[in-house]
Amino acid sequence: MATARIVSLKALVHGVSVSRWTPLSRVLRLRSRPLYSAVRDYSAAISPPSKAVVYDQHGSPDVVTRVTELPPVEINDNDVCVRMLAAPINPSDINRIEGVYPVRPPLPAVGGYEGVGEVHAIGSAVKGLSPGDWVIPSPPSSGTWQTYVVKEQSVWQKVDKSTPMEYAATVIVNPLTALRMLEDFIALKSGDTIVQNGATSIVGQCVIQLARLRGIHSINIIRDRAGSDEAKAHLKQLGADEVYTESQLEVKNVRGLLGNIPEPVLGFNCVGGNAASLILKFLKQGGTMVTYGGMSKKPITELTLTGFWLQRWMSSDKAEERQSMIDYLLGLCRDGKLKYELEVARFDDFHTALEKAMGKRGRQPKQVLKF
C-alpha cells in the first residue's frame, strides 16, 4: 500500500467530523452510515478505515470482544497515522478486558497495548518521522489491536526496521520488565546469583538471557506439568544455570542443591504461594525478593520484599532512558542474543489466537497478531 504525507484534506463521516478525540462509542454509531458523504478542503488529513478488536463491556475476552470496522479519523498537525504490522496478546491485555487490571481504557475500547507499525501518513508539524518508518508506542498505549492507529508523535518511538517484526512488537511489556528488575533493586555484579519462579514465561526467559550476558547465575523454578523435561532443556539452552520443578525442591535444605553457585541475592516472584516460599528458601540472608505477579501472604523476616510494576516506571519522566533501553534490547534481538517463544497469527484468526492466549488450548507460545 502506498504511503504519503497528506496535509490538505479532511473527510466527514455522513457529514460529521471524526477525529482521534471522538469517543469510540460515537464512532461505532457512525460506522453504519456511508464512510464518505462529503469531502471538503480543510487543513487536516484522514486515516483509512480501520479494522479493530472492540469490547463494550468487561468480561471474558472470548465473549465480549468483536472484530468491527471503524471509520477514518482526522490526522491533525502533530499526529502520526500508523499502519499496524503486529501486536501481541499479553496477559495484561486479557486482564484489561476482564476489568481486573489497575489501569483500563474507558469503554467501549479497542484492545491491545503494545505493537509495531509502519508510518502511513504524518501531520504537517511532525518532524523526524517519515512514511515507511517503523514505530512502536512508547510508553505503551491502548488500542493497538487495529489496522490503523492515529496518535500524537510523542507517543511513537522509531525503531530499526531490520529488527524481526515479532520482537519489535513485544519488546516493552516483557523484556523491559526483565531488564528493569535486574537493574533497579540491587547493584548486581558478575558472579552474583538470582533466583526466579515462572521461569518459562517471556519475562523469565529474558531474565535468564540478560543475566547470562552480565555473568550472573540464574536458579530457575518451574511448575510440575507435562513437558517439564523439555522446558528444562530449553531454559538451559538459553543460559540457565539450574532449573528445578517445584516438587524437586521439597527438601529440607534447598541451598544444598546450589553446589558451587553462590547463594542468590535477588529473587523474582510472579507466581506467589508455595512458589514464592521456594524463592525465599534459596535467598541469601539480607536478600531481596521482587514480586511482579502473585503476592506472598506470609510475613518474612531478615529479607527485603518489594514490588515492580512496569506501568508506573513507564509513566515516570524517563523518556531518554526508556528509549535507550528499548534500543539496547532490540539490538540484542537483532544479534540473536535475546529470543523467546512466539507464535505469529493472522489478524483474521484473532479468536483462535485469543483462545490460545487464554490457555484454552493448553500451553502455547505468546500469540502475536500480524495485520
Side-chain angles (χ1 to χ4, degrees), residues 80-106:
V80 177
C81 175
V82 173
R83 180 176 70 86
M84 294 303 295
L85 299 173
I89 304 177
N90 287 315
S92 55
D93 296 321
I94 292 172
N95 292 158
R96 282 187 181 86
I97 297 171
E98 291 171 333
V100 299
Y101 200 76
V103 177
R104 303 182 295 274

Side-chain angles (χ1 to χ4, degrees), residues 23 38 68 81 103 112 185 235 250 284 292 317 322 331 336-337 345 353:
T68 189
C81 175
V103 177
F185 300 98
L235 296 181
E250 293 174 358
K284 182 178 182 179
Y292 66 104
D317 187 21
R322 181 173 66 240
K337 296 178 180 178

